[in-house]
């Protein structure tokens, strides 16, 4: 919480994830793999213009056509297939209803998501937290870099190790997890780079805690 309080005081609310609907969040979570958010915005804008920013529409769209639409997102064929696979799952299991999906228990839902094509822990947890409002902490490379540099864990430690660290030491609150992860992404992007800007970082005087 000391880290969170410093970050919130320095940057305020990040208002993340930027999207008009829960489905748009899921599109973003799948498309953002290995690219910048600017590219994601371009791909989502293209989907909106084509009337394809819903999984019901994706389900009836040819995979090659879908790949052309999401061209700014790179890895076009893989991501088009991932969107199609998610659309099939979402339709068959939940009839394209976010409300029905939200009623599913967190860890069962996570297991379902992880079984889908190209959905790993970070993507699954982003969907769970930001689209479905489930209390699970998202771990990314920024989070690992920041926490390892402050002596909490090592970069080589697993996704689960990092997630456990947060979830065992914070209240299980969706809003807190949402804001905390967004703040870590922001400071990681602005300060805790591969070559860090420690002298001007809000966390530079924070003492590390051995775990």
């Amino acid at each position: 919480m000391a880290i969170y309080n410093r970050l919130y005081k320095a940057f305020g609310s990040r208002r993340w994830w930027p999207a008009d609907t829960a489905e748009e969040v899921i599109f973003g979570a799948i498309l953002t793999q290995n690219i910048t958010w600017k590219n994601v915005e371009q791909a989502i804008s293209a989907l909106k213009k084509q009337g394809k920013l819903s999984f019901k529409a994706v389900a009836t769209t040819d995979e090659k056509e879908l790949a052309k639409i999401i061209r700014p997102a790179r890895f076009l064929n893989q991501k088009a297939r991932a969107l199609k696979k998610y659309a099939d799952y979402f339709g068959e299991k939940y009839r394209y209803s976010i409300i029905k999906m939200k009623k599913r228990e967190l860890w069962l839902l996570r297991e379902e998501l992880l079984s889908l094509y190209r959905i790993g822990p970070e993507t699954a947890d982003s969907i769970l937290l930001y689209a479905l409002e489930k209390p699970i902490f998202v771990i990314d490379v920024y989070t690992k870099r920041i926490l390892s540099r402050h002596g909490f864990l090592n970069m080589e430690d697993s996704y689960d190790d990092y997630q456990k660290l947060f979830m065992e030491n914070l209240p299980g609150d969706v809003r807190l997890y949402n804001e905390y992860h967004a703040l870590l992404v922001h400071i990681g992007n602005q300060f805790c780079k591969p070559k860090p800007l420690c002298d001007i970082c809000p966390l530079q005087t924070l003492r590390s805690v051995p775990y």
Side-chain angles (χ1 to χ4, degrees):
M1 285 304 298
I3 295 174
Y4 174 80
N5 290 334
R6 284 195 184 206
L7 294 179
Y8 194 87
K9 183 178 180 180
F11 305 118
S13 175
R14 302 312 302 163
R15 294 179 173 83
W16 193 258
W17 192 292
D20 294 327
T21 66
E23 278 197 58
E24 186 176 331
V25 172
I26 299 170
F27 274 91
I30 293 171
L31 292 172
T32 197
Q33 296 170 8
N34 303 310
I35 61 168
T36 66
W37 187 251
K38 182 179 180 179
N39 291 88
V40 176
E41 289 178 325
Q42 291 172 353
I44 286 177
S45 177
L47 286 163
K48 283 182 178 178
K49 287 179 182 178
Q50 296 293 327
K52 302 295 184 181
L53 196 63
S54 77
F55 285 104
K56 187 176 287 187
V58 166
T60 58
T61 302
D62 178 76
E63 196 171 303
K64 290 183 179 179
E65 179 188 349
L66 188 60
K68 291 179 182 178
I69 297 171
I70 63 168
R71 184 174 297 279
R74 300 173 62 194
F75 307 102
L76 311 180
N77 295 330
Q78 297 97 317
K79 289 183 179 180
R81 181 170 298 178
L83 291 174
K84 290 283 289 183
K85 294 293 185 182
Y86 186 90
D88 291 342
Y89 153 78
F90 190 33
E92 292 171 9
K93 189 85 176 180
Y94 298 103
R95 297 182 182 178
Y96 305 107
S97 170
I98 292 291
I99 294 174
K100 288 182 180 179
M101 201 171 182
K102 283 183 176 182
K103 292 178 181 178
R104 186 75 161 155
E105 193 271 331
L106 167 60
W107 297 104
L108 293 176
L109 197 52
R110 189 175 194 262
E111 188 176 346
E112 290 176 7
L113 291 172
L114 289 174
S115 72
L116 300 178
Y117 176 71
R118 280 185 67 90
I119 293 188
E122 184 181 342
T123 302
D125 292 343
S126 295
I127 292 170
L128 290 165
L129 176 63
Y130 291 106
L132 303 175
E133 300 178 320
K134 299 289 187 180
I136 192 163
F137 205 95
V138 179
I139 303 300
D140 60 13
V141 68
Y142 291 129
T143 304
K144 296 184 76 171
R145 187 184 295 157
I146 294 162
L147 270 288
S148 65
R149 284 174 172 170
H150 283 279
F152 288 88
L153 288 168
N154 298 313
M155 279 297 289
E156 296 74 23
D157 288 319
S158 71
Y159 185 102
D160 290 344
D161 289 334
Y162 274 87
Q163 188 174 71
K164 184 178 179 181
L165 174 64
F166 281 95
M167 294 184 68
E168 288 187 350
N169 289 282
L170 294 172
D173 182 81
V174 170
R175 186 173 179 180
L176 173 63
Y177 289 179
N178 179 316
E179 197 67 73
Y180 203 154
H181 175 246
L183 286 164
L184 288 169
V185 169
H186 181 71
I187 197 170
N189 180 267
Q190 298 297 315
F191 297 95
C192 205
K193 303 179 181 186
K195 186 177 180 180
L197 305 175
C198 296
D199 291 344
I200 57 174
C201 175
L203 299 180
Q204 62 126 334
T205 59
L206 184 76
R207 294 188 179 186
S208 62
V209 179
Y211 275 81

